[in-house]
Amino acid sequence: MTKLAGTKVLVAGAGVTGRSAAEALLAAGAEVVVTDSSPERLVALEALLDGVELVPGLTEPPAGTSLVVTSPGWQPSSPLLAAASSAGIEVIGEVELAWRMASELADPPVWLAVTGTNGKTTTVGMLESILHAAGADAVACGNVGLPVVDALLAGRRVLAVELSSFQLHWAPSVRPQAGALLNLAEDHLDWHGGMDAYAQAKARVLTGEVAIGWLDDDLVADLLEASPARDQVGFTLQEPQDGQLGVRDGWLVDRAFADDEPLVEISKIRPAGPPGIADALAATALARAYGVPSEAVREGLEAFEPAAHRAVLVTVDSDGVRYVNDSKATNPHAAVASLRAYDSVVWIAGGLLKGASVEDMVRTEAHRLRGAVLIGADRAVIAEALAKHAPDVPVRVLDVPGDAEPMRAVVQAARELAQPGDTVLLAPAAASMDMFTDYAHRGQAFADAVTTLTG
């Protein structure tokens, strides 16, 4: 019998996370109500779950509700969640639910958690690969796609958990065995209400036994120093000091969990470049905090393959122009890292900036730009920054809807600006939902358009 047995729980949101939360709650013996603004989602859920009450469009919890489990994207100010808080009903997320359910187990799984503005999915994938090389019963879960409650109910022994700032906001009790904060830059400010609240949500990952942070990011370094964790471990792209992981003579080096031990050659790390190396250092630190031997770190990192739409070379055309799909660069911080991998770029950018500024990005990277093609809801914001900081860069601003056919117009405009040896780079610096289903849809439309026009 669990603590949830017999309690009435409202699940807010009928998407993937909501469905998994409802299933877990049913398994725990709770009385479950699910609400969503989309009746279609509820109908789809009805065919999958028995014993759940489905109510569309609730703006306040039903009588007798003792807990609300919200999908991560729901803001605290939404009418339903605000009403729950006003009524003194606790609101948590699916990750927090998984943590509480795990705490009731006699032998709970180990949590190794990752967050940051960029690099989360790559890092958690690297971590999973290292853990598998070590023979651990591990799985990547959380924001990477598999809900944490599903991994928990499947009985996995080590959870490599990717956590967004939304998930961390709704997970006040989570204390991972080791948690890593990769970097911090403006993102989701419209949701959190400001940079400080966003940073504090991210810092929750540093409250477990081992806190890991990127020392080359001043904001992260400060949060790491303030962490209440038993052990604080920094990683850097420079030569590491005692208690750190870093880079020396082309190798990842561990001076935190070993005595100055080289682990893997950076030439064998994918994706290549500083962001990939930083992600590998974070994944290594998390794995070493769990006790993974150096051989497994090397094997896991060498075996890792980056996810689709992350700095993927689509083709090189007959003029020597490279076409690179980095649709996963969904904020300015990620776009900067992408741009810095190339010397001469025709940049395809635009979408939903979510309150983030592009001024610093354009100012610092303007010298790399051969041209720019701008799309999406906030294309004018980027165009204004380019006019201010890169007035000599030719810019094409296109008003196109989001599917494969208009993306051909985008790629064609980029081809016309490119010269031999240039890179046409899709690194939007913005979210995709104004035009596409998600960043993968956007990236695939770009890749299809490139193939059609250069094939």
Side-chain angles (χ1 to χ4, degrees):
M1 186 70 69
T2 72
K3 294 179 181 178
L4 292 164
T7 63
K8 187 171 186 176
V9 182
L10 173 63
V11 175
V16 173
T17 299
R19 184 184 74 191
S20 294
E23 289 177 335
L25 288 162
L26 284 174
E31 179 186 348
V32 183
V33 180
V34 179
T35 189
D36 195 286
S37 60
S38 168
E40 292 79 11
R41 281 189 175 184
L42 292 174
V43 169
L45 196 63
E46 186 175 20
L48 297 171
L49 293 178
D50 290 327
V52 173
E53 183 181 356
L54 305 173
V55 184
L58 285 177
T59 56
E60 58 182 35
T65 299
S66 59
L67 179 69
V68 175
V69 178
T70 180
S71 295
W74 284 46
Q75 293 182 260
S77 60
S78 64
L80 175 60
L81 303 188
S85 296
S86 295
I89 300 171
E90 187 179 18
V91 180
I92 65 172
E94 172 265 333
V95 172
E96 177 75 11
L97 175 66
W99 178 261
R100 295 185 185 187
M101 293 179 68
S103 69
E104 297 186 32
L105 300 176
D107 186 20
V110 171
W111 290 49
L112 305 174
V114 178
T115 196
T117 303
N118 300 303
K120 297 184 294 296
T121 300
T122 298
T123 302
V124 83
M126 288 175 167
L127 176 58
E128 181 186 51
S129 183
I130 293 170
L131 291 167
H132 286 171
D137 178 19
V139 66
C141 56
N143 196 56
V144 72
L146 175 69
V148 184
V149 289
D150 287 355
L152 177 71
L153 294 179
R156 307 308 288 265
R157 301 306 306 141
V158 186
L159 307 183
V161 189
E162 177 184 333
L163 294 174
S164 70
S165 59
F166 303 158
Q167 289 170 314
L168 284 161
H169 175 90
W170 295 118
S173 302
V174 171
R175 302 289 183 269
Q177 175 172 318
L181 178 53
L182 305 177
N183 45 62
L184 278 175
E186 289 185 343
D187 199 18
H188 303 301
L189 303 190
D190 51 348
W191 196 97
H192 289 281
M195 187 64 186
D196 184 63
Y198 172 66
Q200 290 306 313
K202 290 289 194 183
R204 286 185 172 182
V205 81
L206 302 176
T207 57
E209 296 179 23
V210 182
I212 298 162
W214 190 27
L215 300 176
D216 300 352
D217 184 316
D218 291 341
L219 287 174
V220 173
D222 289 344
L223 290 171
L224 178 64
E225 185 177 6
S227 164
R230 180 197 66 204
D231 298 316
Q232 299 172 359
V233 176
F235 63 95
T236 173
L237 295 179
Q238 308 303 314
E239 183 165 340
Q241 300 178 15
D242 288 341
Q244 300 175 1
L245 291 89
V247 177
R248 185 178 64 235
D249 298 331
W251 284 76
L252 260 62
V253 177
D254 183 359
R255 296 186 65 183
F257 303 96
D259 184 16
D260 204 13
E261 182 177 11
L263 297 174
V264 63
E265 291 181 89
I266 62 174
S267 63
K268 297 181 179 180
I269 293 171
R270 294 178 302 275
I277 296 168
D279 294 343
L281 285 163
T284 298
L286 287 162
R288 298 290 268 177
Y290 178 60
V292 169
S294 57
E295 295 82 0
V297 171
R298 177 182 54 77
E299 291 174 13
L301 288 177
E302 290 183 358
F304 174 73
E305 293 290 343
H309 312 292
R310 175 69 176 88
V312 176
L313 176 63
V314 179
T315 193
V316 180
D317 71 14
S318 58
D319 292 326
V321 175
R322 297 161 57 90
Y323 293 81
V324 175
N325 170 16
D326 201 357
S327 183
K328 205 171 189 304
T330 57
N331 56 64
H333 190 264
V336 166
S338 190
L339 286 164
R340 288 179 177 173
Y342 312 100
D343 294 327
S344 184
V345 176
V346 177
W347 181 34
I348 300 174
L352 292 169
L353 289 171
K354 300 173 293 183
S357 171
V358 297
E359 290 282 331
D360 288 345
M361 170 184 63
V362 172
R363 183 176 61 254
T364 59
E365 307 309 317
H367 65 285
R368 303 179 189 277
L369 301 181
R370 173 80 67 187
V373 180
L374 307 180
I375 59 174
D378 290 329
R379 59 190 181 276
V381 177
I382 303 175
E384 183 178 348
L386 284 164
K388 179 179 178 181
H389 299 293
D392 296 330
V393 172
V395 177
R396 306 279 180 87
V397 181
L398 303 185
D399 183 9
V400 293
D403 58 37
E405 204 60 46
M407 184 60 91
R408 293 180 191 174
V410 173
V411 174
Q412 182 58 45
R415 290 186 75 199
E416 292 170 0
L417 293 171
Q419 296 183 19
D422 287 349
T423 298
V424 172
L425 174 65
L426 174 66
S432 57
M433 289 79 74
D434 57 331
M435 295 175 61
F436 302 93
T437 304
D438 50 29
Y439 74 83
H441 178 205
R442 177 172 61 190
Q444 191 59 54
F446 171 77
D448 290 346
V450 169
T451 301
T452 299
L453 291 170
T454 64

